Amino acid sequence: MNRTWIVVLLAAALLAGCWGTKPGFEKAGFAYGCPIGDAKVSSMQDLVKLKVVSEGKRTTIQATEMRCTLTGDLLKIDASLNNDSSRVKRISYKYRWIDREGMRAWEEETWKPLLMYENSNLTINAVSPTNKAVDFRLILMSQE
Amino acid sequence: MIDSSRTRRLALLPLLAAAALAAGCAQEQTRYGDARSVETVTNTFGSTDLQLIAESMTRSMLQAPVIVSGNLPIVTVQEVRNKTSEYIDTRAITDSIRAELQKGGKVRFAVDAAAMKQQIEEVQRQQGEFFDKEQATQKGKMVGAQYRMEGNITSIVKQVKDIKDVYYKFNLQLWNIRNGLLEWSDEKEIRKTTTKG
């Protein structure tokens, strides 16, 4: 009798495990916590390509990773940058905030200067200025 | 004789043209620029520093629990003390911070000490005989702030023959007026180095 109960309980636990929500699943329209709309993003590389833009003088600094989360009702972003050259690089960056309709949710940010040591990684973080900002672009420019 | 004088004058023409061209090149040129670009004309406190500080402080304050709570806290802006060796209009920094926060719609601002005189004058003016008594602002209706914002800006300047290094540290605090608790504080550091040659 006892053995039957154990088998039944084990089977129930197994089923519950199979039917439970798998960790790591994201809402539609999001990848790595970042809003992507209808874009097809299947890797971190795709996400970086979608979100990082170069303006003005091009830089060799590469964005390698990007993760987003919500802090209250504001979007919080961590972007990892990599300088794989053997020289110190100077760049500037800013975020462009976009609202639900695809319009600018905030005025243009100030360009923020950044120094990156040779062969180094750096994570820059940002918080959206308003809860109207539901999407963003990270803009990089060389300052050399 | 006349021919020789003419030849000499003709020979001067290219020289005059070159001089005019050089004068033209040296003319001043004024163009509009990007107000938010990185400014590195000198290493004294500049527009980029002001904008970086204002943006960094605003974004940080938006994450403070008293702001996130969504109760639209009422804040008054107090002095940001300039402890650097140079002249910095600290009011311009707090004005930018206030404008950004106000625009974000998560904070309300009560009249600060600097604007109090104008506020009182306007309320008193409305008590005059020329104003409709029913619509005029009555005395004793102003709302006091729950929090006060104050800060400091300090700098360390080091200079040797060909190098000048300036380090700025801006600190901003949000104090609860009722209980004297520090509700939020953050800092922004900036380093600028100028090398000659």
Side-chain angles (χ1 to χ4, degrees):
Chain A
M1 185 66 182
N2 269 352
R3 200 174 290 168
T4 318
W5 271 110
I6 287 166
V7 172
V8 168
L9 280 170
L10 277 173
L14 198 69
L15 281 172
C18 290
W19 286 337
T21 318
K22 281 184 188 170
F25 264 77
E26 286 198 274
K27 284 191 285 179
F30 286 82
Y32 302 93
C34 301
I36 54 166
D38 299 330
K40 194 171 176 284
V41 171
S42 52
S43 66
M44 181 58 79
Q45 232 176 347
D46 289 348
L47 179 67
V48 166
K49 217 171 169 182
L50 183 70
K51 296 294 177 196
V52 183
V53 189
S54 178
E55 276 184 13
K57 206 172 170 190
R58 284 191 173 273
T59 174
T60 54
I61 299 292
Q62 297 280 328
T64 50
E65 255 188 59
M66 193 166 271
R67 286 175 202 282
C68 310
T69 182
L70 279 176
T71 166
D73 56 356
L74 302 174
L75 197 58
K76 191 177 176 184
I77 305 151
D78 268 10
S80 300
L81 302 178
N82 171 254
N83 175 18
D84 63 359
S85 94
S86 52
R87 279 179 50 229
V88 167
K89 295 269 176 179
R90 287 169 206 278
I91 61 160
S92 57
Y93 73 94
K94 65 178 175 182
Y95 281 89
R96 186 166 289 151
W97 303 102
I98 301 161
D99 70 11
R100 222 168 280 282
E101 280 80 39
M103 315 268 281
R104 298 273 173 96
W106 199 254
E107 64 179 35
E108 280 292 292
E109 278 191 354
T110 188
W111 285 102
K112 289 166 269 290
L114 191 72
L115 177 144
M116 285 201 73
Y117 292 108
E118 52 271 48
N119 305 310
S120 68
N121 289 301
L122 193 70
T123 301
I124 50 171
N125 39 45
V127 177
S128 62
T130 168
N131 57 9
K132 287 179 194 141
V134 295
D135 198 2
F136 68 93
R137 293 290 179 275
L138 169 61
I139 307 161
L140 303 178
M141 180 163 71
S142 171
Q143 284 290 317
E144 311 250 317
Chain B
M1 190 69 179
I2 294 163
D3 271 358
S4 139
S5 160
R6 186 179 282 172
T7 318
R8 237 180 287 147
R9 255 184 261 156
L10 279 173
L12 275 174
L13 267 177
L15 277 175
L16 283 169
L21 199 69
C25 287
Q27 258 180 5
E28 265 187 12
Q29 197 179 29
T30 306
R31 283 175 291 184
Y32 282 98
D34 176 6
R36 301 205 160 244
S37 67
V38 176
E39 177 261 306
T40 51
V41 178
T42 68
N43 69 4
T44 54
F45 193 83
S47 60
T48 302
D49 305 318
L50 189 151
Q51 290 162 352
L52 285 176
I53 288 170
E55 195 180 293
S56 164
M57 291 296 120
T58 311
R59 302 293 167 84
S60 171
M61 201 190 280
L62 284 175
Q63 297 172 76
V66 287
I67 312 283
V68 173
S69 64
N71 296 328
L72 287 173
I74 303 168
V75 179
T76 188
V77 181
Q78 290 189 329
E79 193 193 4
V80 167
R81 284 169 291 274
N82 178 10
K83 296 178 176 177
T84 70
S85 53
E86 62 183 295
Y87 171 74
I88 295 172
D89 182 2
T90 55
R91 192 77 204 171
I93 305 173
T94 51
D95 282 353
S96 292
I97 293 171
R98 188 171 57 182
E100 277 225 17
L101 286 169
Q102 181 82 27
K103 210 160 56 170
K106 301 219 165 182
V107 182
R108 286 177 297 168
F109 286 91
V111 66
D112 55 42
M116 194 63 183
K117 193 168 167 268
Q118 290 99 305
Q119 176 73 14
I120 291 170
E121 275 174 8
E122 181 55 29
V123 173
Q124 281 174 341
R125 203 171 67 89
Q126 290 193 19
Q127 308 306 309
E129 56 184 316
F130 300 107
F131 286 87
D132 181 342
K133 288 273 176 265
E134 280 178 19
Q135 286 184 27
T137 303
Q138 299 303 305
K139 284 182 186 173
K141 299 287 181 191
M142 278 166 64
V143 178
Q146 299 159 298
Y147 302 94
R148 61 186 180 86
M149 196 165 80
E150 66 163 23
N152 299 297
I153 181 162
T154 52
S155 72
I156 298 169
V157 182
K158 298 247 169 143
Q159 189 166 14
V160 287
K161 199 180 163 202
D162 292 331
I163 302 172
K164 188 179 180 188
D165 183 87
V166 187
Y167 166 81
Y168 292 108
K169 191 173 84 168
F170 184 88
N171 180 281
L172 198 66
Q173 300 141 20
L174 191 68
W175 293 89
N176 188 321
I177 296 172
R178 189 175 58 83
N179 57 25
L181 286 174
L182 178 62
E183 299 283 3
W184 167 90
S185 176
D186 203 357
E187 287 185 339
K188 174 74 183 169
E189 295 171 296
I190 295 170
R191 158 157 272 133
K192 295 199 282 190
T193 310
T194 305
T195 46
K196 279 183 195 164

